[in-house]
Amino acid sequence: IFDSDSWDTISDSGMVTIETSADKSIMQEYDDSGFVAYDQKGYKIVIKKLNDEDSFWGAELAVYVENNSGKDVTVQARDVSINGFMVDPSFSCDVLNGKKAFDTITFFESDLESNNITDITDLEISFHIFDAHSWDTIIDTDAITVKFE
């Protein structure tokens, strides 16, 4: 909980666990298939699927993120270009240690239109991974190139 004017922390709660009556022997399966963009030091980032037709904001890229690093982290997209044009997408994914997340990188229609991008064929992206509590940088990946058909 934080003060919305000063951003000062008022309180940080501990982890909340909710017990249910669900059968504890049931294990959730995860589809981590796709283009493996990064898989090192306990972090795995997989590009799943591009949706450039049904998105409200423009285009969305489905991403699977797995964190087995020992730290709670936030993963963000940096230095992104589509078809050779730099864009500023929206992507900030919090992933607790030992957890997995499905999220989307959103490319805004205004960026696509201003660069005359009607079909996304090439993506270059790097990921910024930082400690979710201290904000200290953990990893800045090299540029990753993804081709779409």
Side-chain angles (χ1 to χ4, degrees):
I1 302 169
F2 62 89
D3 182 295
S4 62
D5 291 325
S6 67
W7 294 88
D8 291 338
T9 299
I10 295 170
S11 177
D12 282 324
S13 75
M15 179 63 67
V16 175
T17 303
I18 299 173
E19 295 289 331
T20 70
S21 61
D23 184 350
K24 293 182 183 198
S25 68
I26 297 174
M27 295 298 296
Q28 176 71 43
E29 292 186 26
Y30 303 95
D31 179 5
D32 65 351
S33 64
F35 175 80
V36 178
Y38 188 81
D39 190 3
Q40 295 179 32
K41 300 181 182 179
Y43 307 102
K44 184 174 185 178
I45 303 170
V46 178
I47 306 297
K48 300 289 293 171
K49 181 182 177 189
L50 176 67
N51 175 7
D52 58 357
E53 295 182 13
D54 298 328
S55 172
F56 179 77
W57 297 107
E60 294 178 335
L61 185 61
V63 179
Y64 168 87
V65 181
E66 187 172 319
N67 175 13
N68 294 304
S69 68
K71 297 180 180 184
D72 298 339
V73 299
T74 300
V75 180
Q76 295 179 340
R78 298 282 170 93
D79 303 321
V80 179
S81 72
I82 297 175
N83 300 354
F85 293 96
M86 297 303 292
V87 296
D88 191 21
S90 176
F91 179 70
S92 190
C93 181
D94 295 327
V95 188
L96 299 178
N97 177 53
K99 304 300 180 188
K100 301 155 183 64
F102 287 97
D103 207 334
T104 55
I105 300 172
T106 302
F107 305 108
F108 297 105
E109 186 68 32
S110 58
D111 285 340
L112 300 175
E113 287 177 356
S114 66
N115 291 298
N116 295 318
I117 299 171
T118 57
D119 187 32
I120 298 174
T121 58
D122 300 291
L123 171 70
E124 187 171 288
I125 189 169
S126 61
F127 292 98
H128 177 65
I129 303 171
F130 61 94
D131 186 293
H133 304 290
S134 70
W135 293 22
D136 291 338
T137 297
I138 297 172
I139 295 170
D140 284 315
T141 70
D142 292 333
I144 299 155
T145 302
V146 184
K147 302 277 186 189
F148 300 99
E149 296 180 16

